[in-house]
Amino acid sequence: MSFSLRTKKNILLAIMLLGGLAITLKATHWFYLEQGYQDTAERSKQQMTELVNFLDGSLSRYESIPHVLSTNPLLRNALLNQQDGKSIQSLNLYLEEIKHITESLDIYLVDASGVSIAASNWQKSYSFIGQDFSFRPYYQQAISGQLGRYYAVGTTSNKRGFYFSYPIYEQLDILGVIVVKLDITEIEQQSTGIARAGGYEFAITDPDNIIFLSSINHWRLRSLTPLDQSRQYAIHASKRYASRVINELTLSPSYDASATDEHNLYAFSSLKGQFDYMETHKAMVKAGWSVHIMAPLTTIYQSLPLLMTLYGSLYLLLALAALFGYERRKNLFRIQQANDLLEQRVLARTQDLQASNLKLSETQDELIQAAKLTVIGNLSASINHEINQPLAAIKSYAQNTKTMISRNQTKMVADNINTIISLTDRLAVIVGQFKSFTRKSQSRDSATDINLCVQDALTIIKPEIDKQGVELLYQPDEISGEVWADNVRLQQVLVNLMSNAIVAMQRSVPKRLSLTLTLENQLCIKIQDTGSGIQESQMEKIFEPFFTTSDRQGLGLGLSISRRIIDSMQGSIRVSNAQTGGAIFEITLPVYNSSRADPDE
């Protein structure tokens, strides 16, 4: 099969366009993915610093308590006279009091053999008195003369805690160890609050890479690294987690504890599905912990298709514009050649050419004029929906003025003329703001008296209300308050909604328009009519552009523009049907706080 030269050029052009599109999509994917990773990594680094500082601060509050307690002679005397029941009981009460003062979980005294002889929980069912803690590392550290630190689940209380221990000396001899256990659950809850506020998850692991603190319950008491039989036996033998079973956390790829990179990507699996995170870790050397921040990548991945679509579309637009420009230059060149040829024949065919040129000129003028009329017609149809009510109000006030002139009511004539001038100015502002649906206009927001705004809107719509015989239910000055809004644009929304309500009641009996203002945490403006209401199938579409349920001429932009205006004022607009019939439109706006210069700050 042979192709023509033109077909071959089109195929080559299509291949080039598709190749360029593929490169654009690939570059967009790579750039924004890398940028997202970089931003997430920087944010995680800052969050890591905040979380580690909080954890250090929480632990350091208790670090000096065992050292201070070790200087109390009650402890030394109890260790030297363990058979003195009265002395031991006094120490139990003392330790119980210190526990409440310091908000510790438990405080207990261990003798040189590792057996607890006194404890703050002496009267609890899980009392530590008589328990052998010699196997615990915190005891071994303290009995050797060091400050002991250790995390574990209590074998007696079965509660998670962090242990601080310190030796008790009799001159140079170590008589025993005082141990302070703090509640790790409270630190976990506070850390979870910090993580939720920062939009990330966290996990804290021990030297065996077992998670013992986490903002996600499913991760707790699970191992980041694979658990073989020998490792499970070693963990069980250490009694660090009492009798609790440690399982392996499912993630991909497998966690590499020896990796030197600060940031790694992992997919965590759970009953709710698989979630991608960027893992950032840092060691807390003194506590023997490793802190892991898991920053979710869902937002980055979800935004990529939209960005790729956007840049792919921009590429195609630019490519098509370049192709159009190229073709246009070719056409201009051909036209120039044709003009040169015509000039060569002009002497022989002057009259025919002049007639043809004249006819062509007339045709071109007609086409241009038709295009102008089409644009003007479309624009007029769009603007008509927004300015119909102000025009009706101007006409009504003009007719009233004519009557007042005949009655020589000069003052009322002047008031009507001022109202007409105000309405005319308002029309100019509305027409100037008509493009706000497709392009955001410069904000002219200010502190707006809601009662004055409603009264101005009623001034516009009142002639139509009277003409249609509609009963208006409205209590002026029912509330007092201000909102941060553009006065004219808010009036435009109110007029639009009330105008739609009047149209909806053309065939209704009775015709009643209710306007209600309520002020609590926010300002609520409710506009209710007694029309036929809105079909349920149209509820989701009514605010879409170019959708209309009215038989009147229009483009269906009124409600769409109204929603855009209310959204720009940080408010909301919603629609529902009343149980007694008719539609209810509710506008919610934030109340203006005069103590703030700008409500968006």
Side-chain angles (χ1 to χ4, degrees), residues 335-436:
I335 292 173
Q336 185 63 42
Q337 287 182 324
N339 288 337
D340 293 341
L341 182 60
L342 288 174
E343 287 178 1
Q344 293 175 4
R345 299 177 180 178
V346 69
L347 295 177
R349 303 178 58 185
T350 302
Q351 292 182 351
D352 292 340
L353 185 58
Q354 288 178 344
S356 298
N357 287 339
L358 179 60
K359 185 176 181 180
L360 177 61
S361 176
E362 291 175 353
T363 303
Q364 289 176 341
D365 290 341
E366 290 175 0
L367 290 175
I368 293 174
Q369 185 64 23
K372 290 181 179 180
L373 291 175
T374 300
V375 173
I376 293 173
N378 291 337
L379 185 61
S380 299
S382 301
I383 298 177
N384 177 68
H385 184 78
E386 300 297 333
I387 66 175
N388 183 54
Q389 292 303 327
L391 286 176
I394 291 174
K395 180 179 178 180
S396 177
Y397 281 108
Q399 291 174 344
N400 290 341
T401 302
K402 184 177 179 181
T403 302
M404 294 172 185
I405 290 176
S406 64
R407 297 176 182 175
N408 200 25
Q409 295 175 336
T410 308
K411 184 178 182 306
M412 297 181 68
V413 168
D415 292 341
N416 275 16
I417 291 176
N418 289 334
T419 302
I420 291 172
I421 293 173
S422 176
L423 290 171
T424 305
D425 292 339
R426 188 171 293 111
L427 277 174
V429 174
I430 293 174
V431 172
Q433 293 174 340
F434 184 72
K435 294 183 179 179
S436 65

Side-chain angles (χ1 to χ4, degrees), residues 209 223-227 248-259 264-269 279:
N209 293 315
S223 175
L224 285 177
T225 52
L227 286 171
E248 182 180 343
L249 191 63
T250 305
L251 69 162
S252 177
S254 298
Y255 185 78
D256 185 4
S258 61
N264 302 282
L265 305 182
Y266 295 101
F268 288 77
S269 299
E279 183 260 355

